[in-house]
């Protein structure tokens, strides 16, 4: 699969909430080849600190020319990225990783938590286009309404019905997305596409295992190279000892992984 290292121009900057930013980048090479679930490695700043690129899901593409990343400011790299502006350039490597497996005969269900919602927006848009007769169910959650509302709007603009949950009860169900899923009558051909914090994905694995449902998870581990050349991203796998989240994933069949459940 082709990968590109490019200086991409920022053509849109959106501050979605106090600490969530969306950048639209101009890169026909990456945008035209990207698949939902793939990611890019982005260099934050020109200097040596931070030295390593940071991984971000491709959260949407348009016109085979533009793609978006959506991120929360959590540390040094994301703080620097949040200070870029329209017209400036970012060094980006991608598209990387495998992406979600899609079958239009399944009842696809997108389950996201926090910034894990980012790749699901791309997947939702993709499914609406390739499986118009069977649009996906969307169940997403975040800490607060301020964090979740802009993302709900994005799914609704695709014509999708969105179920929501927030930690503080400010939008939708007061609690976890899994509680919402328990209230929905899911068919046996449901296929869960999941991305979010580790405990949520571990819980989704158990939820699906108990019901015999297919479950794909995107593992957002720490990453150093993003290309299978170091051991920065390993996750325990049932197939071998470890898998590389960057090159074997980031999307895995949840059954292939060894889950640490507290
Ligand atoms: C495939 C993939 C896709 C991702 N997609 C997105 C996305 O679409 N939007 C988004 O906001 N984030 C995403 N992430 C996470 C993102 O890469 C990190 O938030 C980012 O690298 C933090 O960089 P920083 O320099 O700001 O933080 P750092 O200074 O490196 O770390 C700040 C704090 O965040 C924690 N942290 C850093 N990276 C991670 C991680 N991967 N998982 C859990 N905790 C972490 C650190 O332990 C530390 O406590 C993704 C990660 C992966 C592997
Ligand atoms: S991040 Fe280097 S091998 Fe995955």
């Amino acid at each position: 699969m082709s990968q590109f290292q490019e200086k991409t121009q920022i053509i849109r900057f959106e501050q979605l909430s106090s600490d969530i930013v969306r950048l639209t980048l101009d890169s026909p090479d990456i945008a035209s080849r990207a698949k939902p679930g793939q990611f890019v490695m982005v260099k934050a700043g020109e200097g040596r600190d931070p030295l390593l690129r940071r991984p971000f899901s491709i959260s949407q593409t348009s016109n085979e020319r533009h793609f978006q990343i959506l991120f929360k400011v959590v540390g040094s790299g994301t703080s620097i990225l949040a200070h870029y502006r329209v017209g400036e350039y970012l060094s980006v490597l991608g598209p990387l990783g495998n992406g979600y497996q899609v079958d239009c005969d399944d009842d696809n269900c997108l389950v996201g938590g926090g910034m894990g919602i980012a790749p699901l927006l791309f997947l939702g848009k993709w499914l609406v286009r390739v499986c118009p007769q069977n649009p996906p169910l969307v169940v997403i959650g975040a800490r607060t309404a301020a964090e979740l509302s802009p993302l709900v709007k994005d799914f609704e603009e695709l014509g999708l019905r969105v179920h929501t949950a927030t930690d503080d009860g400010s939008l939708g169900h007061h609690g976890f997305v899994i509680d919402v899923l328990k209230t929905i009558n899911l068919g046996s051909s449901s296929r869960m596409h999941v991305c979010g914090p580790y405990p949520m994905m571990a819980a989704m694995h158990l939820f699906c295992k108990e019901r015999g449902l297919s479950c794909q998870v995107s593992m957002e581990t720490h990453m150093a190279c993003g290309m299978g050349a170091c051991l920065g991203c390993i996750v325990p796998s049932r197939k071998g000892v470890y898998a590389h989240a960057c090159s074997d994933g980031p999307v895995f069949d949840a059954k292939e992984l060894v889950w640490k459940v507290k």
Side-chain angles (χ1 to χ4, degrees), residues 62-73:
S62 58
N63 310 326
E64 302 238 313
R65 177 167 190 113
H66 304 142
F67 74 90
Q68 293 184 329
I69 59 170
L70 170 77
F71 61 89
K72 182 181 236 181
V73 176

Side-chain angles (χ1 to χ4, degrees), residues 176-219:
F176 299 126
V177 289
I178 204 153
D179 305 329
V180 178
L181 279 165
K182 284 176 184 164
T183 67
I184 297 173
N185 192 11
L186 298 165
S188 59
S189 63
S190 296
R191 178 185 284 241
M192 303 290 161
H193 305 273
V194 187
C195 188
Y198 185 92
M200 177 198 138
M201 296 205 289
M204 278 302 297
H205 164 57
L206 284 181
F207 175 87
C208 293
K209 196 172 152 195
E210 281 162 16
R211 291 161 178 79
L213 303 177
S214 161
C215 183
Q216 294 182 67
V217 291
S218 181
M219 301 301 286

Side-chain angles (χ1 to χ4, degrees), residues 32-187:
S32 63
R33 288 168 179 83
K35 295 199 171 52
Q38 289 191 296
F39 65 99
V40 289
M41 296 291 286
V42 181
K43 178 84 178 81
E46 300 294 325
R48 291 186 172 196
D49 185 21
L51 185 61
L52 299 173
R53 290 171 182 272
R54 298 297 196 248
F56 298 99
S57 299
I58 297 171
S59 83
Q60 205 163 176
T61 65
S62 58
N63 310 326
E64 302 238 313
R65 177 167 190 113
H66 304 142
F67 74 90
Q68 293 184 329
I69 59 170
L70 170 77
F71 61 89
K72 182 181 236 181
V73 176
V74 293
S76 58
T78 45
S79 303
I80 292 170
L81 289 174
H83 284 90
Y84 276 78
R85 288 297 177 263
V86 169
E88 294 187 295
Y89 287 81
L90 275 177
S91 173
V92 177
L93 173 66
L96 299 165
N98 56 0
Y100 289 99
Q101 304 258 340
V102 171
D103 186 333
C104 291
D105 290 333
D106 292 333
D107 291 327
N108 292 292
C109 183
L110 315 184
V111 184
M115 288 300 98
I117 297 168
L120 301 179
L121 185 59
F122 187 9
L123 181 58
K125 196 171 178 182
W126 183 283
L127 286 166
V128 165
R129 186 163 56 80
V130 301
C131 316
Q133 75 291 356
N134 196 10
L137 176 73
V138 181
V139 185
I140 54 177
R143 282 183 311 142
T144 63
E147 211 171 271
L148 195 57
S149 297
L151 309 178
V152 172
K153 193 166 145 270
D154 287 334
F155 284 101
E156 287 176 344
E157 282 173 5
L158 296 172
L160 298 174
R161 174 139 187 257
V162 186
H163 299 264
T164 54
T166 45
D167 293 353
D168 66 356
S170 52
L171 182 67
H173 172 73
H174 187 173
F176 299 126
V177 289
I178 204 153
D179 305 329
V180 178
L181 279 165
K182 284 176 184 164
T183 67
I184 297 173
N185 192 11
L186 298 165

